[in-house]
Amino acid sequence: MQQEEIDIEALKTNKEFLANLVLLEEEMNEQKSIQKGYQLLDALLLVSEDEDKINDIFTFILKESFDTLAEYLSQQKGFDMSKQEELFTARAIYEHAIERYSENDTKGAKELFQVLHYMVDESRLKDAMMVHAVCVMQGKDFDTFIEKVADTDKYDPQDPLAYFLMFFKIDVEKFLDDNSALVQKAQDELRVLEESK
């Protein structure tokens, strides 16, 4: 059975759909929900050419995720990846880190990957974030990381963590062992967070 194609043009004029977008935006703002921000963003990217509106939602997602990050760090609290809102918060920070990396802001990217390594409660993701951080510390540029290290063909669309690059063309355990000095340096830099208790 073929999946029903979504008629994007019809959605653009569908009153119920458009009313739901308005409602979603209200809920997003009232609840300061990053998850709802992403839902709204996905819908707007389908049906809207209003770049300002899309940028506003991006800005909202980024601001809320970094506010949450700051609050959690001050409370020495990590992200529980089984909670949707916290998963989407980590996703927003990760996407920002990837953007920083792709724009050659290696310091900003490395710090965000390290913080995510520190904050997430899921071992596969922790290791993946350390691989990202070590690659930055080695001086690998973003394109090299994507072509030689990350395995972008592999992902499980059913996995709630599919937003994160977690599959690699390298043996993660061996890579982290071989680069244990850089891993240690990254861990030492994270101690600041421990000491701010």
Side-chain angles (χ1 to χ4, degrees), residues 66 96-114 132-133 136-137 140-142:
F66 277 92
H96 186 64
I98 286 288
E99 186 185 346
R100 300 265 47 84
Y101 193 7
S102 71
E103 292 172 358
N104 296 317
D105 173 8
T106 50
K107 183 178 184 294
K110 177 186 72 108
E111 287 170 357
L112 290 173
F113 294 139
Q114 283 174 288
H132 284 63
V136 176
M137 292 164 90
K140 281 187 175 67
D141 66 22
F142 179 72

Side-chain angles (χ1 to χ4, degrees), residues 73-86:
L73 283 171
S74 72
Q75 297 170 4
Q76 294 293 311
K77 182 179 169 188
F79 290 133
D80 177 347
M81 301 306 275
S82 67
K83 293 184 177 163
Q84 284 294 303
E85 192 61 32
E86 296 188 22

Side-chain angles (χ1 to χ4, degrees), residues 3-30:
Q3 267 192 318
E4 208 175 306
E5 290 279 314
I6 298 173
D7 185 343
I8 306 295
E9 291 308 311
L11 277 181
K12 289 180 180 180
T13 55
N14 181 311
K15 285 193 171 68
E16 189 182 346
F17 176 76
L18 296 173
N20 282 337
L21 289 187
V22 171
L23 188 64
L24 188 58
E25 186 172 2
E26 284 170 8
E27 288 175 357
M28 173 194 86
N29 287 315
E30 280 166 20

Side-chain angles (χ1 to χ4, degrees), residues 49-93:
E49 285 91 41
D50 184 346
E51 276 188 35
D52 289 342
K53 181 77 171 163
I54 289 166
N55 286 336
D56 286 349
I57 306 300
F58 261 126
T59 304
F60 169 89
I61 287 171
L62 220 49
K63 180 191 176 309
E64 289 304 324
S65 58
F66 277 92
D67 285 354
T68 302
L69 176 64
E71 185 187 324
Y72 278 29
L73 283 171
S74 72
Q75 297 170 4
Q76 294 293 311
K77 182 179 169 188
F79 290 133
D80 177 347
M81 301 306 275
S82 67
K83 293 184 177 163
Q84 284 294 303
E85 192 61 32
E86 296 188 22
L87 169 66
F88 278 94
T89 303
R91 172 188 167 183
I93 293 162

Side-chain angles (χ1 to χ4, degrees), residues 73 76 115 118 189-197:
L73 283 171
Q76 294 293 311
V115 165
Y118 175 78
E189 289 170 3
L190 285 166
R191 292 238 159 77
V192 179
L193 301 175
E194 295 282 344
E195 286 155 13
S196 64
K197 276 185 184 173

